[in-house]
Amino acid sequence: MAHFAYTGRNAQGGLTEGTLESASAAALADHLVTLGVTPIRIDPVQGPQEGALAQLARLRERGQVGHVDILMFSRQMYTLLKAGVPIMRALAGLQESCSNRAFAAVIRDLRESLDSGRELSQAMARQPRAFSPFYISMVRVGESTGRLEEIFISLFHHLEFQQFMRNQVKSALRYPSFVVGVMALALVIINIFVIPQFTKVFKSLKAELPFMTKVIIASSDFFVAWWPVMLLAMVGAVVGFRLMVASKEGRFAWDRFKLRIPIAGSIVNKATLARFARGLALGLKSGVPAVQALTLTAQVVENDYLAKKIEDMRLGVERGESILRTAIAAKIFTPVVLQMVMVGEESGALDDMMEEVGDMYQREVEYELKNLSAQIEPILIVFLGVIVLILALGVFLPMWDLGRAMIK
């Protein structure tokens, strides 16, 4: 028996954590489902009689299931179920054609669970690393309403939208990140290898050097003398940042800070709210109650700060407040979005309005991403110009003075 740390949500949507002993992560997931807890994360932990080698073996066996695997699985399940293929035959075919061994093992576990009499949503709950609570809840709704194939195509479009937003943000930030990285590397090379060669020439002149030249020489001397310490400090900063983000408080602080970064923060905020609006629309269209839909979409936004705001909205709705009132209190939506929420509540078409909100945010994100390079390039050019100016003044002023002295 191994020990596992789990994180899940109870029937009321509250977060619950703990450590239990079980034969496997799948068995623990089954046990949690019987207790009314939907597992979000299950991790092996070091038990009192558990060796490091056994833990390492489990980590190797765990494998990785990517976003694209779940995306294609949703589309293929919709196609097969719509064509009238029985679900067991559909899963068997997908397992045989799956190129990812880790995901093939997940599908095999789904088949075994269905063979033992479990429902598909219960079988998916045994694989919290592959299927999110939002995905599982949507499948559960599809099972109860007899619209499973419609749920799968809706999930496919939802996951495709999430993948599109991630790719758009990454592609927009790739060029500025590359330029900044090259500039940083160039500065390191200049300070460690280039400036010291000029320093020897300048010192041989035995003349008063310009202020800018002194600054450059001092900077170069600092780099040459302390580069090992600076390298260790950078590694320590990266490790410290990862440890901070791994903690609940650190992740919350970082997710809040991301939304306040100039230029990029607005894009991240709108992309996150687009995922929230699309997720809420999908939940409401599928017949999920508003309280449960808010709980589920809080897990979709991938931002702990905004997830906390959405959880506050859920608590307000539980107290009997309208979604409009809780959205106003959250202070994360623009007046236009709030007006659309009001119209949706009054007309009983909140799901359609939230889908419109998601489309609106998506268009805004696409527009801002197209103009991101135009906004960042002037800043990079000015920064690069300042660096070149400093280097030019520091290197060439002494030579200029030396040339004038030789002429005289």
Side-chain angles (χ1 to χ4, degrees), residues 157-213:
H157 291 308
H158 178 71
L159 294 173
E160 187 180 40
F161 168 74
Q162 286 187 308
Q163 183 75 8
F164 170 78
M165 297 299 287
R166 289 196 192 100
N167 292 339
Q168 287 288 310
V169 173
K170 288 180 180 179
S171 62
L173 297 179
R174 188 176 295 120
Y175 170 72
S177 301
F178 174 76
V179 173
V180 171
V182 171
M183 290 171 59
L185 180 62
L187 283 176
V188 171
I189 293 175
I190 290 173
N191 276 284
I192 295 180
F193 298 104
V194 179
I195 299 299
Q197 303 303 319
F198 284 96
T199 302
K200 295 177 183 178
V201 177
F202 295 153
K203 289 182 178 179
S204 67
L205 298 176
K206 297 181 180 180
E208 182 67 22
L209 297 175
F211 172 76
M212 199 63 68
T213 306

Side-chain angles (χ1 to χ4, degrees), residues 244-255:
M244 181 198 75
V245 173
S247 67
K248 186 176 181 180
E249 296 78 9
R251 182 72 184 182
F252 182 87
W254 169 241
D255 284 344

Side-chain angles (χ1 to χ4, degrees), residues 175-177 179-180 183 373 375-387:
Y175 170 72
S177 301
V179 173
V180 171
M183 290 171 59
S373 297
Q375 295 176 351
I376 294 180
E377 280 179 5
I379 300 174
L380 295 177
I381 291 172
V382 170
F383 183 62
L384 182 60
V386 170
I387 293 176

Side-chain angles (χ1 to χ4, degrees), residues 65-78 103 124 129-139 150-168 271 274-280 282-283 296 299-302 355 362:
V65 176
H67 184 88
V68 176
D69 295 317
I70 307 300
L71 178 70
M72 297 309 301
F73 172 79
S74 303
R75 178 70 189 191
Q76 291 165 343
M77 284 296 293
Y78 162 75
F103 192 57
M124 288 179 172
R129 291 187 177 277
F131 302 102
S132 67
F134 180 82
Y135 196 101
I136 296 169
S137 297
M138 290 298 102
V139 171
E150 296 179 19
I151 291 296
F152 273 121
I153 192 60
S154 298
L155 286 169
F156 167 76
H157 291 308
H158 178 71
L159 294 173
E160 187 180 40
F161 168 74
Q162 286 187 308
Q163 183 75 8
F164 170 78
M165 297 299 287
R166 289 196 192 100
N167 292 339
Q168 287 288 310
R275 285 196 294 270
F276 159 73
R278 285 288 187 89
L280 183 59
L282 175 58
L296 296 172
Q299 302 161 8
V300 175
V301 295
E302 298 178 356
E355 195 163 0
Q362 180 180 349

Side-chain angles (χ1 to χ4, degrees), residues 209-217 389-395 397:
L209 297 175
F211 172 76
M212 199 63 68
T213 306
K214 292 180 179 179
V215 171
I216 291 177
I217 292 176
L389 178 63
I390 292 174
L391 290 175
L393 292 176
V395 172
L397 276 180

Side-chain angles (χ1 to χ4, degrees), residues 337-359:
V337 173
L338 294 175
Q339 187 174 3
M340 294 176 72
V341 172
M342 179 185 68
V343 172
E345 280 197 307
E346 290 179 351
S347 63
L350 184 60
D351 51 352
D352 293 330
M353 285 295 102
M354 293 309 297
E355 195 163 0
E356 289 291 332
V357 169
D359 292 339

